[in-house]
Amino acid sequence: FIDEQRAAGHGVESICQVLRVQGLTVAPRTYRSWKTTSPAPRVSADAAVIDALRQLRVGGLQGGPLPEVLYGRRKMTAWLARCGFQTISKHTVDRLMRDEGMSGLVRGRKVRTTIPAKNGVRAGDLLNRDFRTTAPNRAWVTDFTFVPTWAGFAYVAFVIDLYSRAIVGWSAATTKDVAFVESCLAMALWRRDHAGRPVPAGMIHHSDAGSQYTSIRFTETLALQGLSASIGTVGDAYDNAVAESFMGLFKNEAIAPGSPFRVGPLRTLADVETLTMNYVDWYNNHRLHSLLDLTTPEEFEQTYYAHETGSPSGDAANKKTA
């Protein structure tokens, strides 16, 4: 304001005098110091980080937020380091996020959707709560959840690789039948084949004791694909913990109102499919995962294949096997 008034021909002292009368106390010396003194290094550094944080709120779909706005302090620090802020500390990130009113995502409770099969013969639990593997395509876990839409409930199933936590397959439908979970498995196998990372015979396919997964039809499908069926125990909250934890993550990061992936109401199954497709792409290729030393699932698998075969894609593994 003082600059504008000076350009109109008024003196600094008279401008400040008028401002004081209006209740805005600014001394001429303060103004001249502000004009000639450079901002402190911390102020400049903070301003650059604040710009990056604020861009997360408007750089997404239709001017909405980017998915990284969901990060808490630790992941936001890692993400900023990837963006060029190499020396920034988590304490600085915490302070600036609080100043900007950003706290990351707070997880909610999971609603149970799977109906256990009763009085049926099912496969044993081959994982026994051990959800770590030493390579991709050693064990997959699967589950599904519901999504409310204007047209009624939709259901979304996922298959997750335990090594990299990558989503290797997904499907969405309006009915939670056996064909629905078979479609999810078919996508997972197809995507692995076309990525040059085929599934070996005997790989473990683990699920809970839902009726879809314990059905004769699905059990035969696993056998035809050369997979080893594994079913968690009934009444055990941890029998399929990785998949259940991911379902809660999906509901909070992608489905909840205000999510960066929602550009409007979920009217039909098509809206759910579009949202899920965008979320899976971000989750696999951009989302930083705590278990993977704050890298993405795709980066984690590329590192494995580059170390084992010299090819990040895994193609070299196929040639070597052949």
Side-chain angles (χ1 to χ4, degrees):
F1 175 78
I2 295 176
D3 283 345
E4 293 175 356
Q5 295 302 312
R6 288 187 63 196
H10 302 290
V12 175
E13 285 75 8
S14 61
I15 298 170
C16 291
Q17 183 178 2
V18 173
L19 288 175
R20 283 195 297 272
V21 173
Q22 299 299 320
L24 302 173
T25 303
V26 180
R29 182 171 58 183
T30 302
Y31 166 74
R32 293 190 175 98
S33 176
W34 173 75
K35 289 287 290 184
T36 58
T37 304
S38 300
R42 170 172 164 168
V43 174
S44 298
D46 284 356
V49 176
I50 289 172
D51 282 346
L53 294 177
R54 290 180 178 177
Q55 183 60 33
L56 293 178
R57 291 173 165 167
V58 296
L61 299 172
Q62 298 184 6
L66 286 168
E68 285 75 15
V69 78
L70 301 169
Y71 288 158
R73 178 190 65 180
R74 185 162 52 89
K75 285 187 178 179
M76 188 67 77
T77 303
W79 178 80
L80 287 168
R82 287 171 167 246
C83 295
F85 300 94
Q86 300 291 341
T87 59
I88 192 170
S89 73
K90 61 182 180 182
H91 305 291
T92 299
V93 175
D94 184 45
R95 171 173 57 83
L96 296 178
M97 287 182 66
R98 279 189 280 109
D99 290 346
E100 292 297 307
M102 302 173 67
S103 58
L105 176 70
V106 178
R107 296 277 297 271
R109 66 185 293 271
K110 178 182 180 292
V111 178
R112 185 173 179 84
T113 58
T114 304
I115 301 174
K118 298 180 180 180
N119 303 323
V121 178
R122 60 179 185 272
D125 187 348
L126 302 181
L127 294 182
N128 194 26
R129 300 187 185 180
D130 183 5
F131 298 113
R132 295 292 188 103
T133 61
T134 58
N137 296 335
R138 295 296 184 268
W140 290 352
V141 295
T142 186
D143 201 355
F144 65 86
T145 188
F146 75 96
V147 178
T149 72
W150 287 9
F153 282 121
Y155 300 92
V156 186
F158 295 95
V159 176
I160 303 163
D161 191 296
L162 284 182
Y163 176 74
S164 64
R165 297 303 197 260
I167 303 171
V168 293
W170 64 274
S171 65
T174 55
T175 56
K176 49 180 180 178
D177 54 10
V178 177
F180 161 59
V181 295
E182 281 184 332
S183 176
C184 184
L185 174 63
M187 176 191 280
L189 295 170
W190 182 89
R191 291 183 72 245
R192 282 311 209 188
D193 283 341
H194 283 71
R197 303 168 186 177
V199 175
M203 187 200 72
I204 295 174
H205 178 281
H206 182 81
S207 68
D208 60 20
S211 58
Q212 298 85 355
Y213 300 112
T214 57
S215 66
I216 295 176
R217 172 176 165 179
F218 190 76
T219 302
E220 290 178 345
T221 297
L222 293 177
L224 290 173
Q225 297 294 342
L227 305 181
S228 299
S230 173
I231 304 293
T233 55
V234 176
D236 187 345
Y238 302 100
D239 65 335
N240 198 21
V242 171
E244 292 187 4
S245 177
F246 171 79
M247 293 303 162
L249 195 69
F250 172 68
K251 295 293 284 288
N252 281 274
E253 290 188 344
I255 301 300
S259 163
F261 297 95
R262 291 189 61 164
V263 297
L266 299 176
R267 297 180 176 86
T268 65
L269 177 64
D271 293 332
V272 175
E273 289 177 325
T274 300
L275 178 148
T276 304
M277 177 182 64
N278 291 332
Y279 179 75
V280 170
D281 175 69
W282 177 71
Y283 181 93
N284 283 341
N285 300 298
H286 303 285
R287 186 184 185 278
L288 306 182
H289 203 296
S290 302
L291 186 68
L292 311 179
D293 295 326
L294 295 178
T295 61
T296 69
E298 178 60 24
E299 289 171 347
F300 199 69
E301 288 200 1
Q302 287 184 3
T303 299
Y304 169 83
Y305 285 114
H307 180 267
E308 293 295 319
T309 68
S311 171
S313 67
D315 290 335
N318 300 340
K319 296 176 181 178
K320 184 176 180 180
T321 302

